[in-house]
């Protein structure tokens, strides 16, 4: 993919405008009032975000013009959904949305095809999750999603895992005035944690394979950070028993997550 092009989709990337913070705030006031010209100006002023993001897909064989167009779709969605009253920079909000739009495009056009039925299941689950969050203001469990779309929990977890592309947490995605934004920075943002959410669903489904005591031990050990001795005292069994139950629980979870 040729990322050294000066002109992409008819846009001279060497002359992309850069908005100041005061200009961004003023434009967003106009955007919220329905000013389409302000929206267009704001989008143009943030095209550097799209350009920076598509550089991380340099190993892709996709046409750079196509990726830029898809990234712009993500940028427009970010502009339309961003709430300036929240204490979050627009770039922090927009980058994962741009990445997500490009990754969805690449998944649908990947030479290593994920079956259509798997993709449909995964997208149904993601849309159901987004709808649930808007309605209840909290993340849904895998069981709640399963009930919402009428698909088995195991099938949902498998489908969501299938559409994920591996990425390093230390991979830079954007440089904002000298401060590099890494994938890890986005994972820590609870508003933009689609991949983290999918991992949590997988873990939750694996824990459902455990009995009540094993789940409680795993909760205390790995979510609350207690030692085996502290767990033993809390549930009134020996440390050796805690160790044995913990090992068995982890084995069961590992087998489920690896599909064995």
């Amino acid at each position: 993919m040729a990322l050294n092009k000066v002109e992409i989709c008819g846009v001279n990337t060497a002359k992309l405008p850069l908005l100041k913070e005061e200009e961004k705030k003023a434009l967003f006031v106009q955007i919220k009032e329905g000013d389409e010209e302000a929206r267009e100006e704001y989008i143009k002023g943030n095209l550097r975000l799209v350009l920076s993001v598509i550089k991380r897909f340099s190993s892709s064989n996709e046409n750079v013009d196509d990726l830029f167009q898809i990234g712009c779709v993500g940028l427009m969605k970010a502009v339309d959904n961003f709430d300036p009253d929240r204490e979050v920079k627009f770039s922090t909000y927009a980058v994962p949305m741009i990445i997500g739009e490009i990754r969805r495009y690449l998944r649908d056009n990947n030479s290593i095809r994920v079956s259509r039925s798997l993709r449909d299941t995964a997208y149904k689950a993601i849309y159901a999750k987004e709808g649930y969050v808007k309605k209840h203001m909290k993340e849904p469990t895998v069981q709640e999603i399963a009930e919402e779309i009428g698909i088995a929990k195991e099938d949902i977890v498998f489908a969501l895992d299938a559409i994920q592309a591996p990425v390093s947490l230390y991979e830079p995605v954007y440089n904002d005035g000298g401060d590099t934004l890494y994938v890890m920075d986005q994972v820590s943002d609870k508003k933009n944690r689609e991949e983290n959410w999918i991992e949590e669903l997988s873990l939750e489904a694996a824990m459902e394979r455990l009995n009540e005591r094993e789940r409680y031990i795993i909760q205390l050990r790995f979510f609350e950070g207690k030692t085996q001795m502290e767990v033993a005292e809390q549930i009134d069994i020996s440390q050796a028993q805690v160790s044995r139950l913990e090992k068995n629980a982890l084995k069961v979870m590992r087998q489920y997550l690896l599909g064995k």
Side-chain angles (χ1 to χ4, degrees), residues 11 15-19 37-49 75 79:
V11 177
K15 295 183 179 180
L16 287 175
L18 186 62
L19 297 174
E37 289 186 6
R39 178 178 180 271
E40 185 175 344
E41 185 179 348
Y42 196 92
I43 290 170
K44 288 180 179 178
N46 283 278
L47 287 177
R48 289 176 183 271
L49 277 176
L75 174 62
V79 171

Side-chain angles (χ1 to χ4, degrees), residues 220-222 224-228 230-231 234:
L220 292 175
R221 287 279 290 127
F222 298 99
E224 297 183 21
K226 294 185 180 295
T227 66
Q228 287 187 349
E230 288 173 329
V231 173
Q234 185 161 336

Side-chain angles (χ1 to χ4, degrees), residues 90-127:
F90 177 74
S91 59
T92 303
Y93 178 81
V95 165
M97 293 195 73
I98 297 169
I99 292 173
E101 203 68 32
I102 293 174
R103 290 185 66 187
R104 278 191 286 274
Y105 170 79
L106 292 177
R107 287 171 196 151
D108 287 342
N109 293 275
N110 202 322
S111 57
I112 303 175
R113 294 284 179 181
V114 175
S115 73
R116 184 68 194 180
S117 61
L118 272 179
R119 286 205 307 271
D120 287 346
T121 296
Y123 295 154
K124 284 180 183 177
I126 291 171
Y127 294 146

Side-chain angles (χ1 to χ4, degrees), residues 50-102:
V50 178
L51 191 63
S52 297
V53 167
I54 64 175
K55 288 180 180 179
R56 66 172 297 219
F57 296 94
S58 58
S59 60
S60 167
N61 293 322
E62 294 294 328
N63 183 283
V64 65
D65 287 11
D66 291 341
L67 291 187
F68 188 78
Q69 286 183 324
I70 299 299
C72 287
V73 171
L75 174 62
M76 287 186 283
K77 287 183 178 180
V79 171
D80 292 340
N81 291 283
F82 180 64
D83 183 356
D85 293 330
R86 296 179 182 272
E87 295 183 1
V88 178
K89 291 180 66 176
F90 177 74
S91 59
T92 303
Y93 178 81
V95 165
M97 293 195 73
I98 297 169
I99 292 173
E101 203 68 32
I102 293 174

